Amino acid sequence: MADYHFVYKDVEGASTQWDDIQRRLGNLPPKPEPFKPAPFSPADDPDLAPKSKAWIDDRTPAELDELEDDPELDDDRFLQEYRKRRLAEMREAAKVARFGSVMPISGSDFVREVSQAPADVWVVVLLYKDSIQDCGLLLCCLEELATKYPATKFVKIISTECIPNYPDRNLPTILVYNNGAVKGTYVGLHQFGSRRCTPEAIALALCQSDPVLNDGQTESSSREGIIRGVQKRFIEKFVADHEEKEDDDYSD
């Protein structure tokens, strides 16, 4: 049996001559425009887009290292920008970390390592002898400071190699140099709290008059800024030691 409910549909937009006449007479509404889909354009893939400087700045060092070794990455602009940034970071890191420890020197090294140090470098010189216990105590504190402030130069030299016949009763002695001149002299431990001296107490004493200590990262190297940083580290250390003591008491 025939399907009388079937409705024939011509190609979309097609019209009969009769319909055209009726539209000209105003008996039918205007013929609708045929549907035209928008031209196809694939969605943007962020992984395929050129890597801008802002994109590079948002990446962590670990992510950049992985991208450098990615064989599928073929973006000359990205690689150039990446290498430029890495080179700048390496230069800055080398500048900051040029010291970072207490370097032993001899009498013949003194002029080169201390007196002729660059004008922007502060040099902390420890006069010591291994046989004197207080020298070892002060050296331990200076080693910790040298690690925290790698842009400040720390050296140690046997006292009599630096100053002939220098009396042992004055040891340990700290000399602070800048631009070839002595800026400070500290004899013994009493200025740092005697045998209870700490790296923080030494740092505060060294920075009372000049910005001796420099971590290489702080934008402002003013004496006040350094003192605030030392005070902050002292408070953090005090709180950490106090919490550790409470944990030990609780476990007992």
Side-chain angles (χ1 to χ4, degrees):
M1 179 179 294
D3 186 358
Y4 294 104
H5 298 283
F6 176 77
V7 177
Y8 173 77
K9 289 186 178 181
D10 202 345
V11 178
E12 184 176 3
S15 177
T16 65
Q17 187 177 10
W18 172 256
D19 290 338
D20 294 339
I21 295 173
Q22 294 302 313
R23 286 192 176 92
R24 286 197 297 270
L25 296 175
N27 297 328
L28 288 178
K31 182 172 64 174
E33 294 292 333
F35 173 75
K36 291 183 179 180
F40 173 76
S41 59
D44 293 335
D45 188 345
D47 294 333
L48 299 178
K51 306 303 185 292
S52 63
K53 184 179 184 301
W55 185 91
I56 295 175
D57 291 339
D58 290 339
R59 306 278 79 75
T60 64
E63 290 173 335
L64 290 175
D65 288 340
E66 292 178 0
L67 289 171
E68 187 179 27
D69 298 331
D70 189 349
E72 297 182 358
L73 182 63
D74 185 17
D75 191 331
D76 291 340
R77 286 180 296 176
F78 162 74
L79 292 176
Q80 290 175 3
E81 185 66 32
Y82 169 74
R83 293 189 181 102
K84 186 187 301 182
R85 174 177 171 178
R86 289 288 289 174
L87 183 60
E89 289 177 349
M90 291 171 64
R91 286 175 177 169
E92 188 64 25
K95 180 180 178 181
V96 171
R98 52 184 162 177
F99 307 121
S101 63
V102 180
M103 180 177 66
I105 63 173
S106 62
S108 60
D109 300 327
F110 192 89
V111 172
R112 181 183 70 253
E113 298 293 343
V114 179
S115 301
Q116 296 179 351
D120 63 335
V121 174
W122 287 83
V123 185
V124 178
V125 182
L126 171 64
L127 306 185
Y128 77 104
K129 278 188 177 178
D130 288 328
S131 58
I132 298 178
Q133 184 178 4
D134 286 356
C135 293
L137 178 60
L138 185 56
L139 178 59
C140 289
C141 294
L142 292 182
E143 286 174 342
E144 184 172 333
L145 291 178
T147 302
K148 291 181 178 178
Y149 301 97
T152 296
K153 189 174 187 178
F154 288 81
V155 301
K156 64 178 182 179
I157 181 172
I158 295 175
S159 58
T160 50
E161 288 191 24
C162 181
I163 305 174
N165 301 318
Y166 191 74
D168 288 354
R169 66 176 179 274
N170 290 344
L171 298 180
T173 295
I174 288 180
L175 305 176
V176 178
Y177 275 76
N178 179 248
N179 202 18
V182 178
K183 299 295 185 179
T185 302
Y186 304 85
V187 178
L189 295 179
H190 66 279
Q191 299 176 76
F192 310 128
S194 297
R195 293 197 171 185
R196 299 182 63 183
C197 69
T198 63
E200 292 75 21
I202 297 172
L204 288 173
L206 292 177
C207 295
Q208 283 304 310
S209 57
D210 296 294
V212 177
L213 302 179
N214 185 355
D215 60 6
Q217 299 176 353
T218 305
E219 293 182 1
S220 173
S221 59
S222 66
R223 182 178 65 88
E224 293 78 8
I226 294 174
I227 290 177
R228 284 196 298 270
V230 172
Q231 291 172 337
K232 179 181 178 182
R233 291 187 180 93
F234 177 79
I235 294 173
E236 290 173 348
K237 183 177 181 180
F238 175 81
V239 172
D241 292 343
H242 182 70
E243 291 177 348
E244 183 178 354
K245 185 177 183 301
E246 286 186 342
D247 292 340
D248 292 340
D249 294 341
Y250 180 77
S251 60
D252 292 340

